Every structure is written in structure tokens, then in C-alpha cells.
Amino acid sequence: MARITLHEFVSAHNAELGQPFAEVMDVLESFAKTIQAKVQRNGLIEESGDSGGTNVYGENVQKLDAFADGALTNALLACPAIHAVGSEELETPKLSGNGTGIYTLTHDPVDGSSNIDTNLPIGTIFGLYPKADSVLQKGNTLVASGYILYGPSMLLFYAVNGTVNGFTFDPDRETFVLSYENVRIGEKKYYAINEGNWELFFEEEQKYLTTIKTSGDFTARYVGSMVGDIHRTLLKGGIFIYPADKKHESGKLRLLYEVAPLSFLIIQAGGDATSGVINPLELTPVKHDQRVPIAMGTKVLVEQYRSFSPKGGK
Ligand code: AHG
Ligand code: MN
Ligand code: MN
């Protein structure tokens, strides 16, 4: 019997969330196919290389970042279920103005942009919140979150109602089909951190890293695309860290577009997350481009990390 498709799964298992949730998931599936069609032609498409522009973080915007941001933001704004859209590539959120929207969606349209040109895994991250006066909502209010991973296969994983399910894009059926049901975080001890920043790390971070490295229990893995690193952490286990450091008092990763959605997913899969001293889902963002330090992974490894009192940043 053919495996259940994403669309069928959402209708059958998330029926209590009704048509609006199904509409959002349809938009994400359609967007994933658009981006997959581009990345499969890496080197041949016009959306290759640097756009020449910079975003609100002062980072170079790749042509694919700009294309993906426009494609996803516009598709969401045209979706009746959507009230507002916030994106890593937008200075301020956009309102749909449709009057029917019940959700705000935040996204990182292309995560891991530095890997685009070298054909390494990249992703898309999304967080779905109830409509509110502001996009600046705590992660604890998330209804659902997830990611699309453009790798050897294209995958879509999402968390809702305490469960995480994963879908693989089947090119024959031209749709996502269920491939990872009710995912629980693995138990292996992989650690992922950019150790090139060693000299910038605070003493607490250095002590922690020295401890786990000398334990002989850990293996290092670092993709440099958060979606890729979190996907491995989810399936295999481990810990992913992007800490505050002497130059970056709040680390690098963005609360609304990266940290909250992926922390929510990892926690729903039985893992844990910390921004130094606080659960990132309890942080109310004070600005759209807020960065926070983050460590997430298995409960045991996050607890061990916490015991070294890493700096939470500002
Ligand atoms: P983005 O491509 O959306 O700007 O995100 C890049 C992020 C994240 O994907 C990754 O974990 C991290 O930046 C890597 O940063 P370093 O290159 O500093 O390790
Ligand atoms: Mn990113
Ligand atoms: Mn990005």
C-alpha cells in the first residue's frame, strides 16, 4: 500500500487544527518543491552567488536567499490562514490584510546560505504562532514548527501537539510521504559547534569543550547549516551549540527565525534547549532581529552543558 502523503497525514492527524493549518502546510510543501527545483540545478540557475545586498544583520544576501524569501513570504501572504509573516530577510514583518488569518508565521527562508555554492545541505525553518498584535511572541506560544532539509533527499519535519513527524519527498509521486513517524531524539553523543571561534569562547565554554573532548565519548560533526546539524542531532542524538562569545554577546542565531522554532521541535521530540540560564521558549523577543545563545540536544547532554554555567548573553 502506498505510504500516506503529507497532505493526507495533516488531514487525518491534525484535523483538530482544521483547514487553516492544512493550508499553511500546503504552502510549505509547494515552496519546498520550488526551492528543490532550484538547488537541484546548482550552478545552472540565475539565482547563483551573491546578490550584492546585505540584510539587517549585515550579512551578505545570496540571490537564493532573496528569491526564497520573496517566494515564501508572498505565498504565505496570499494564504487565507495567514495574518502576518516575519522573515530573517525582512526588516519588519508583513501583514496579509486578508482579515481571515489566524496565524503568524516566522521563517528563515534559506538556512545555511554559506553552503549553497558548494552544494552542501541547506534548509528552511518555520515557526507557526497564533495571530497576535505583535510578531514578537514567546516560543512557548508556538502552535507548530519545523524545517525543510534540501539534502540528498528533500525532507520536511514538523512538530505539533507534542509529536514530531518526518516526510521524504518522493519524486515519483511528486509529493512528501511519511517516512519518520513519531520521532524521538536519538541518544548518541555528537557535538556540533564552530570551534574556529575557540579564542572568542568564554572560559566556561572552553572548560566544557575540553571536558567532553577528553572524555573520549564524543564525536564532532558540524555542517554549518543549522537545519543539517539539528536534523542529525534529532535522529542520532547529541548537542548543537552556538554560544555567546567575547565578540558576540548574544551569539549569532536568531530567536524568532531559527532558535525558537528548532528548540520547540527538539523539545517536543524529547530533547532540551537552553540559552545559557533560560529556556529560549520563555524569552519574549524585544526586537525582530534578536539573537540569542543556544544549546540544544538530548536532555542529558544539555543538562551537562548547563552545569558548566555558560554565559546566557543579552
Ligand atoms: P543563515 O544561512 O540563515 O544566515 O544561517 C546560518 C547560521 C546557521 O545555519 C549555522 O548554524 C550558523 O549560521 C553557522 O555559523 P558559523 O559559520 O559562524 O559557524
Ligand atoms: Mn539560518
Ligand atoms: Mn537564512
Side-chain angles (χ1 to χ4, degrees):
M1 206 177 73
R3 285 171 185 251
I4 187 169
T5 67
L6 172 62
H7 185 83
E8 291 163 350
F9 186 91
V10 168
S11 306
H13 295 269
N14 306 135
E16 73 289 354
L17 293 171
Q19 185 60 19
F21 184 72
E23 283 169 8
V24 172
M25 295 308 288
D26 284 348
V27 169
L28 290 165
E29 168 154 16
S30 165
F31 166 76
K33 291 184 200 171
T34 303
I35 300 307
Q36 173 75 342
K38 294 287 179 190
V39 298
Q40 276 182 337
R41 292 168 181 78
N42 222 336
L44 305 176
I45 51 170
E46 61 179 272
E47 295 86 359
S48 295
D50 209 316
S51 71
T54 49
N55 60 18
V56 65
Y57 309 94
E59 299 164 346
N60 291 345
V61 176
Q62 301 291 300
K63 286 183 191 161
L64 194 67
D65 290 321
F67 172 82
D69 180 48
L72 184 51
T73 300
N74 291 335
L76 287 165
L77 291 173
C79 173
I82 294 292
H83 167 70
V85 181
S87 156
E88 183 187 271
E89 303 297 344
L90 289 173
E91 252 171 67
T92 47
K94 290 193 173 174
L95 297 178
S96 72
N98 62 23
T100 56
I102 61 165
Y103 291 125
T104 288
L105 191 140
T106 62
H107 66 86
D108 176 359
V110 176
D111 172 67
S113 302
S114 68
N115 281 333
I116 299 171
D117 290 352
T118 48
N119 205 31
L120 289 169
I122 56 174
T124 297
I125 305 168
F126 58 91
L128 189 68
Y129 298 83
K131 168 185 170 179
D133 290 342
S134 166
V135 170
L136 302 174
Q137 297 185 61
K138 280 187 186 187
N140 269 340
T141 62
L142 278 160
V143 174
S145 74
Y147 59 81
I148 301 157
L149 173 62
Y150 313 94
S153 303
M154 176 165 68
L155 305 176
L156 188 152
F157 276 56
Y158 76 100
V160 70
N161 291 337
T163 51
V164 177
N165 289 289
F167 300 79
T168 302
F169 183 72
D170 180 345
D172 295 336
R173 298 175 68 187
E174 296 183 2
T175 190
F176 283 103
V177 296
L178 181 64
S179 47
Y180 299 83
E181 201 168 357
N182 193 12
V183 183
R184 307 301 293 166
I185 192 166
E187 288 177 359
K188 290 207 183 323
K189 292 188 171 181
Y190 288 107
Y191 76 99
I193 185 168
N194 186 343
E195 283 196 86
N197 292 332
W198 180 268
E199 290 302 327
L200 296 177
F201 290 158
F202 294 111
E203 208 184 327
E204 293 83 351
E205 219 71 45
Q206 293 179 340
K207 273 191 186 150
Y208 164 76
L209 287 167
T210 302
T211 302
I212 64 168
K213 284 159 63 164
T214 50
S215 73
D217 290 343
F218 284 75
T219 299
R221 289 282 187 276
Y222 193 69
V223 177
S225 294
M226 189 182 186
V227 168
D229 283 310
I230 293 305
H231 183 63
R232 181 198 55 256
T233 305
L234 175 67
L235 294 192
K236 303 269 192 189
I239 186 162
F240 167 87
I241 308 164
Y242 212 109
D245 64 38
K246 290 170 199 158
K247 254 196 188 158
H248 311 96
E249 60 180 10
S250 301
K252 174 181 184 184
L253 298 175
R254 278 76 38 155
L255 177 57
L256 274 174
Y257 314 115
E258 297 170 319
V259 171
L262 293 180
S263 298
F264 180 83
L265 185 140
I266 285 288
I267 290 169
Q268 295 221 351
D272 200 359
T274 182
S275 287
V277 287
I278 189 164
N279 175 346
L281 300 184
E282 277 162 17
L283 285 169
T284 304
V286 290
K287 53 181 185 170
H288 298 114
D289 56 352
Q290 185 167 337
R291 301 176 195 259
V292 284
I294 185 66
M296 65 175 89
T298 62
K299 277 188 176 153
V300 172
L301 297 188
V302 171
E303 195 47 49
Q304 179 191 19
Y305 177 75
R306 261 196 211 102
S307 72
F308 283 79
S309 306
K311 296 220 185 315
K314 289 185 183 164

